[in-house]
Amino acid sequence: MNQPPPYPGETHQMMYKAQAVPEPMQKLPVNRVCPTCNKQGLTVVTPAIKLTGWLLILFLGVCGLIACCQDGWKEFKHKCFNCGFSFGSYEPPLTTQEKLSLAAAVCCLFFVPILIMVIYFVVILAVVTTSLPSDLSDFSNLSDFSDY
C-alpha cells in the first residue's frame, strides 16, 4: 500500500509523546509537576469552608456547625509544595448522610422549640384547670362589685 508523502518538516518516523493525564484532585494530596518551579511532588491541601457552609452556620447557629465536620461543605485547595502555585480546588458533593444530618439539624432548630411550646401550654392549661374551684357558688357575690 502506498502512503502519501509526509508534510514538509515531518517524517514517517516521528512519534508523538503521549502526555500523562494528571490524576483528578481529591481531598487528599495528588502528584503534580508545578508549571512555575518545574518541581514534581505532592500538592499541599488546605481545607476551607465554602460559602454554603458559612451560610448554614449563619442561619442555623449552633446546629449549623455540622459544616465544620462534614466534607461536603468544604473546598480543598491544592498548592505546590515548593512555591505555593495554586493548582485549583476540589469541592466534593454532599453525600446522602450529610443531607440527612442537615435535615435533622433543621428539624431540631424549628420543630423541637414548637414541640416544647405545645407541651408548655398543655401543662399550663392543666395546672390552671385543676386550680379552678369546681363549685362556682363562691362567685355569686360578684354583683356587689358592680357599683365600682
Side-chain angles (χ1 to χ4, degrees), residues 19-32:
Q19 299 260 340
V21 177
E23 61 182 294
M25 291 189 211
Q26 297 291 324
K27 67 182 224 175
L28 299 175
V30 294
N31 196 11
R32 290 286 161 97

Side-chain angles (χ1 to χ4, degrees), residues 122-141:
V122 166
V123 168
I124 293 294
L125 185 64
V127 168
V128 168
T129 56
T130 57
S131 65
L132 286 177
S134 59
D135 185 17
L136 294 179
S137 62
D138 297 338
F139 298 107
S140 61
N141 297 339

Side-chain angles (χ1 to χ4, degrees), residues 22 39 57 99 109 137:
K39 294 202 176 197
I57 293 170
K99 291 176 185 176
L109 187 67
S137 62

Side-chain angles (χ1 to χ4, degrees), residues 31-105:
N31 196 11
R32 290 286 161 97
V33 176
C34 180
T36 305
C37 66
N38 292 321
K39 294 202 176 197
Q40 180 174 357
L42 291 175
T43 59
V44 175
V45 179
T46 308
I49 297 177
K50 296 188 289 188
L51 176 63
T52 53
W54 287 113
L55 291 173
L56 184 72
I57 293 170
L58 179 69
F59 289 123
L60 296 183
V62 176
C63 295
L65 290 176
I66 60 172
C68 299
C69 306
Q70 297 176 337
D71 291 339
W73 303 101
K74 295 180 184 176
E75 173 184 27
F76 297 92
K77 298 178 181 179
H78 290 259
K79 293 185 179 182
C80 175
F81 70 94
N82 186 44
C83 67
F85 173 79
S86 178
F87 289 107
S89 62
Y90 170 68
E91 296 182 10
L94 283 174
T95 63
T96 303
Q97 184 179 11
E98 290 169 341
K99 291 176 185 176
L100 288 174
S101 63
L102 172 63

